[in-house]
Amino acid sequence: MADAFTRVSNCQRNGVCLVQLGPGIENAFSGVSQAYSESVPILVLPGAPERRQFKPPNFSAPKSYKEITKWADTINFADRVPEMMRRAFTLMRSGRPGPVLLEVPLDILNEEFDDAKFQYTPVKHIRSGGDPADIRIASKALIAAKNPIIRSGQGVLHAGAWDELVELAELLRIPVFTTLSGKSGFPENHPLALGAGCNTRPRAIVHFLEKADLVFAIGSSCTKEIFTTPIPEGKRIIQSTVDERDINKDYPVEQAIIGDAKLVLRQLIEEIKEQLGPKVRRKDNSVAKEIKAVKEEWLQEWLPKLTSAEVPINPYRVVWDMMQALDRKETIITHDSGSPRNQLIPFWESIVPGSYIGWGKSTPLGASLGFAMGQN
Ligand SMILES: Cc1ncc(C[n+]2csc(CCOP(=O)(O)OP(=O)(O)O)c2C)c(N)n1
């Protein structure tokens, strides 16, 4: 729930999750692991035994959660709460987002702390842009590419960079697809939208990825695993992300830009306009026409399944009917793991940023129930 609460705000709010010591925090492992794998900044506050009573085999949350948080520690004095919270929120609001855990021993919970001494000012998000030299090289490559394609990841949602993404795509007429966790970062009813992909994906993504000579990944870790769209071998890749650990991870990267997606996209737009001058990279609407044709052909092939009256009803019909019946501007949708994810992602057209909660890195069955509740 805390994860979804954070995601639907595009990380402008941080979900906080309070759980009991022992079984509470032991059971929370899967949810926090999920948030960590999808880089969602939530604050986990478990209780803990009194410090005097703590001894093995008591469960140590900081030790056990170390690998799935940006920081896991114990609040060891009540008067350290403001300082430790400041640090926790700074970590959640900068760099690659992720969960922070601070356990609160029972004796600390009961400790007196003078209200007058409680000084806390909420911390701001800290962002940084790309190296101008990298921006220049990337801009030149994007202008020169014959068939570039944009892979848009969750970083675009985290950074609130959808307007800039549309602007860049339109400026150079580049087709855009989104990743599973990045779905809804680009309006899928836009003429340059290819849709979103995981281990199933619309044909338009496959078609344009195959013919691409340059892949520009923005706000994407470019992770190669079962629930991601693979980048075919031999493609030139420009990758922009906030985390250097994602660069040259699963794919060799020709040019990297480390920075916040919104700032980097704005830098690229300005630099590309500067480099292009009065020239226009592509005057015609050939890319949009080709996208339309591929999409239409694909949809025609799937329509019998999507509108089938077979009994029992098939899952594609459910997705299709929901698409027609719901107001997608007012709907936030998620899937669960297993087939529902594979069936939903290609056919559900997201048109509003943050309206799709896609997940598939840690992928615990049942997470969708909490996500649905946390969206409120
Ligand atoms: C907690 C957990 N255990 C196991 C898995 C592995 N797993 C992924 S999908 C799946 C089957 C899901 O079955 P169902 O909900 O009926 O959906 P289906 O894919 O069969 O349509 C399993 C066991 C998981 N993702 N999470």
Side-chain angles (χ1 to χ4, degrees):
M1 285 190 271
D3 182 323
F5 179 85
T6 308
R7 283 219 226 178
V8 296
S9 78
N10 293 311
C11 293
Q12 293 310 298
R13 300 177 305 186
N14 296 95
V16 178
C17 157
L18 292 123
V19 289
Q20 198 199 300
L21 57 78
I25 188 58
E26 289 160 24
N27 272 330
F29 204 88
S30 174
V32 179
S33 181
Q34 166 69 24
Y36 181 68
S37 69
E38 309 280 357
S39 304
V40 183
I42 60 170
L43 180 62
V44 188
L45 297 173
E50 289 191 9
R51 286 166 302 171
R52 194 179 295 285
Q53 281 176 352
F54 185 85
K55 53 188 117 31
N58 278 342
F59 180 79
S60 163
K63 273 191 194 157
S64 303
Y65 277 72
K66 203 167 157 240
E67 295 293 323
I68 56 161
T69 50
K70 281 188 91 172
W71 180 38
D73 213 332
T74 304
I75 297 184
N76 51 359
F77 294 95
D79 63 6
R80 287 194 71 200
V81 167
E83 167 215 324
M84 294 181 87
M85 286 296 165
R86 191 166 57 236
R87 190 163 164 214
F89 278 90
T90 302
L91 286 172
M92 286 189 283
R93 292 176 177 174
S94 57
R96 186 198 196 93
V100 169
L101 177 140
L102 290 175
E103 69 167 14
V104 198
L106 290 176
D107 50 326
I108 300 290
L109 279 174
N110 288 322
E111 205 180 312
E112 288 299 327
F113 177 32
D114 187 355
D115 272 357
K117 289 191 188 146
F118 194 101
Q119 298 294 332
Y120 186 79
T121 309
V123 296
K124 287 187 187 162
H125 289 81
I126 304 168
R127 306 182 299 162
S128 49
D131 179 335
D134 297 336
I135 297 287
R136 276 195 294 277
I137 296 169
S139 300
K140 200 171 167 204
L142 281 167
I143 293 170
K146 198 159 168 276
N147 294 308
I149 188 170
I150 296 176
R151 173 192 179 104
S152 170
Q154 195 179 18
V156 167
L157 289 168
H158 281 354
W162 40 84
D163 289 340
E164 288 78 4
L165 181 60
V166 169
E167 198 177 331
L168 177 72
E170 289 179 356
L171 181 65
L172 296 182
R173 309 220 174 156
I174 305 180
V176 180
F177 75 96
T178 62
T179 63
L180 177 58
S181 53
K183 187 170 165 81
S184 83
F186 191 78
E188 293 182 335
N189 54 355
H190 189 283
L192 292 169
L194 305 175
C198 59
N199 53 336
T200 56
R201 57 198 74 97
R203 184 175 300 159
I205 297 184
V206 182
H207 175 93
F208 281 91
L209 252 182
E210 279 302 328
K211 66 184 281 190
D213 53 348
L214 178 69
V215 179
F216 171 49
I218 176 77
S220 168
S221 61
C222 285
T223 299
K224 188 180 186 179
E225 60 183 21
I226 177 168
F227 296 120
T228 60
T229 298
I231 300 175
E233 252 179 60
K235 302 292 178 193
R236 295 170 57 207
I237 299 175
I238 296 177
Q239 183 185 7
S240 177
T241 159
V242 284
D243 193 343
E244 72 282 0
R245 288 172 300 177
D246 290 333
I247 307 287
N248 287 322
K249 185 180 63 173
D250 292 335
Y251 301 98
V253 169
E254 176 181 307
Q255 177 63 52
I257 309 169
I258 306 276
D260 170 87
K262 193 177 176 80
L263 298 179
V264 167
L265 284 168
R266 177 54 52 205
Q267 287 176 292
L268 285 171
I269 292 163
E270 298 313 321
E271 176 63 26
I272 287 167
K273 281 185 181 163
E274 178 90 19
Q275 288 190 18
L276 274 178
K279 279 185 283 170
V280 180
R281 184 185 167 273
R282 195 194 292 273
K283 283 204 190 81
D284 59 19
N285 274 335
S286 56
V287 175
K289 277 191 200 142
E290 194 175 335
I291 293 173
K292 196 162 180 251
V294 177
K295 275 186 173 174
E296 263 171 22
E297 187 194 63
W298 175 70
L299 194 60
Q300 285 309 317
E301 282 175 34
W302 276 91
L303 267 178
K305 194 102 187 156
L306 292 162
T307 55
S308 162
E310 68 190 282
V311 179
I313 192 169
N314 82 61
Y316 296 97
R317 166 83 192 272
V318 176
V319 174
W320 185 253
D321 280 8
M322 284 199 305
M323 271 272 296
Q324 315 307 318
L326 295 172
D327 177 356
R328 281 174 291 138
K329 286 196 175 131
E330 297 293 330
T331 305
I332 300 173
I333 192 158
T334 191
H335 46 72
D336 213 283
S337 51
S339 312
R341 171 172 42 216
N342 305 349
Q343 291 146 352
L344 189 64
I345 196 165
F347 296 108
W348 182 268
E349 198 186 68
S350 295
I351 54 176
V352 180
S355 62
Y356 191 95
I357 301 186
W359 49 282
K361 296 245 167 59
S362 154
T363 199
L365 271 171
S368 65
L369 186 61
F371 284 175
M373 293 164 81
Q375 286 172 23
N376 299 306

